[in-house]
Amino acid sequence: GARAMAAQRVFAETGDAAAALRLMPNGQSVQMERTLLDALAGGLSAVEALQRLPRQLLMLYVKAAQSLVFNHVLSHRLRHSGSGPMPGDLVEDSTDAEGPMAPPSPTPPPPR
């Protein structure tokens, strides 16, 4: 909502976690933000504040950040280099009959 966005803006512009916390509404939808702001307003470091979050939630954010970086790098590569292989890429030879890209062997006919 508007109050949560105002709180986020205050924190982003000033770094004042206590002021942002005062603006942040109560409720389940902003519980994580309130937890982090409360920890920062209490003098904890950013790392210590993040350690207050449940591990599963923290890992969700780590994976989301990894996906964001991957997507950004891939988009940059596609924009500037196209979709073909580049020097340094590992490329599987699809003509290699022993490789995983080889078509399946034909099924032998059933015995008579």
Side-chain angles (χ1 to χ4, degrees):
R3 286 185 59 204
M5 289 176 59
Q8 291 168 354
R9 189 171 32 259
V10 164
F11 184 71
E13 292 173 0
T14 68
D16 188 342
L21 183 59
R22 285 190 298 274
L23 290 171
M24 186 65 69
N26 288 315
Q28 195 64 24
S29 65
V30 292
Q31 187 58 45
M32 179 193 61
E33 290 89 344
R34 290 190 61 81
T35 298
L36 292 173
L37 288 171
D38 184 54
L40 293 170
L44 295 182
S45 70
V47 170
E48 292 168 324
L50 286 169
Q51 289 172 339
R52 289 200 162 183
L53 296 177
R55 181 166 171 73
Q56 288 179 323
L57 181 62
L58 188 57
M59 293 311 299
L60 176 71
Y61 280 96
V62 168
K63 289 174 194 238
Q66 289 171 334
S67 294
L68 182 67
V69 170
F70 175 83
N71 290 339
H72 180 74
V73 169
L74 182 59
S75 293
H76 182 269
R77 177 181 168 150
L78 291 172
R79 252 192 324 277
H80 296 285
S81 304
S83 61
M86 294 175 52
D89 285 350
L90 296 177
V91 179
E92 184 171 356
D93 182 359
S94 63
T95 61
D96 180 4
E98 300 298 318
M101 297 297 287
S105 301
T107 306
R112 294 184 186 220

